[in-house]
Amino acid sequence: MATLGTQSISTSYTQVLKTFGSNIVDGTLRAISSGDEAGVSALQICTTGAKSTGTFAVDGASTFGSHLTASTGTATIGTLFVSGQATFGTGFTASTGTATIGALSASTATISTATIPLQLGPVTFGTNVTMSTGTATIGTESVGLSTIGTLSVTGTATVGSAIRIGATGPTITKVSYATASFGSVAVAAHNAADTTNGTFLLTGAELGDIVIGSINSLGSTTGTTQIVTSFFPVASNVVRYVVNSKGSTAGTIPAGTIFATAMRFTT
């Protein structure tokens, strides 16, 4: 197309853009049209703004001074960067693709599926977190009070201070576990004065703890089979084992390993 400078007005005025009608640009939105108004664009302008009645596309960067409003329909944004604060009046929907939000403050948020790769700071939930279906996978959780209907742990669960059993039941405040080598010993008959006993290290055990233990070689005892064992703390980190024979004959317990767990309860 030739430039306007080489054409007369009577033949080139149709190529000039103007506001539709005979009005100047004022406070009323008017469409931009060709000089003869045979072609009317979707773009409307006035002294206070602009509007597109069709599709509006921006290839480069766009800066909105105060706000962006989609009064009706759907506003589809490929990439949106907000350096300040963005306020959504009713809802924010990413129908496809991924919506990445650096910081979110919301009174109510309904999310069908959310993938959060990393949370660097603390996350505070005002009342509760509910997983109605599916699985909630939590790498590390620190909570003051957690009420869980059904909990299945396939890996390792670390409880910092206490576990309460039931609403008013006892609270487990300490569980310690240890193993110790056990040498072959002879166990006297019940009518003899001797009793087989010894001590071993169980780190974390204290006086008053309940100790549950076993010796893995008890099943290979020869002689008497009426063996009774007991385990109890005698000092900090020290547990004594006692082996008695309830039978009328002596026996021998082969060498093995002692397995013991100390538990501490409070009401």
Side-chain angles (χ1 to χ4, degrees), residues 186-190 192-198 228 230 240-245:
V187 183
H190 74 281
D194 186 36
T195 299
T196 302
N197 66 87
V228 177
S230 61
R240 180 177 297 280
Y241 68 86
V242 176
V243 182
N244 289 318
S245 172

Side-chain angles (χ1 to χ4, degrees), residues 104 109-116:
L104 172 65
T110 302
I111 305 173
S112 57
T113 301
T115 301
I116 305 175

Side-chain angles (χ1 to χ4, degrees), residues 52-265:
S52 174
T53 58
T55 301
F56 183 76
V58 178
D59 292 332
S62 299
T63 301
F64 299 95
S66 58
H67 60 267
L68 172 65
T69 302
S71 58
T72 59
T74 302
T76 302
I77 304 173
T79 301
L80 173 65
F81 174 75
V82 180
S83 59
Q85 180 179 351
T87 302
F88 300 96
T90 55
F92 175 73
T93 303
S95 56
T96 59
T98 302
T100 302
I101 304 174
L104 172 65
S105 175
S107 57
T108 302
T110 302
I111 305 173
S112 57
T113 301
T115 301
I116 305 175
L118 178 63
Q119 175 58 49
L120 298 178
V123 179
T124 302
F125 299 97
T127 54
N128 56 66
V129 179
T130 301
M131 174 65 66
S132 57
T133 58
T135 302
T137 302
I138 303 173
T140 301
E141 180 186 19
S142 175
V143 295
L145 176 62
S146 180
T147 302
I148 303 174
T150 301
L151 175 64
S152 175
V153 180
T154 57
T156 301
T158 302
V159 180
S161 58
I163 300 176
R164 171 166 289 175
I165 302 173
T168 59
T171 299
I172 302 176
T173 59
K174 182 72 175 182
V175 176
S176 304
Y177 173 77
T179 61
S181 61
F182 178 78
S184 176
V185 296
V187 183
H190 74 281
N191 57 355
D194 186 36
T195 299
T196 302
N197 66 87
T199 60
F200 60 92
L201 176 69
L202 201 166
T203 302
E206 296 289 345
L207 293 174
D209 288 355
I210 299 172
V211 180
I212 302 172
S214 181
I215 304 171
N216 65 356
S217 58
L218 286 176
S220 301
T221 301
T222 58
T224 180
T225 57
Q226 305 297 317
I227 298 296
V228 177
T229 60
S230 61
F231 300 84
F232 52 92
V234 293
S236 296
N237 306 320
V238 180
V239 171
R240 180 177 297 280
Y241 68 86
V242 176
V243 182
N244 289 318
S245 172
K246 302 298 289 182
S248 60
T249 59
T252 299
I253 304 174
T257 302
I258 297 174
F259 297 85
T261 300
M263 292 186 293
R264 192 174 308 150
F265 291 84

Side-chain angles (χ1 to χ4, degrees), residues 36-49:
D36 58 357
E37 297 187 350
V40 181
S41 73
L43 180 63
Q44 300 177 353
I45 63 171
C46 68
T47 55
T48 58

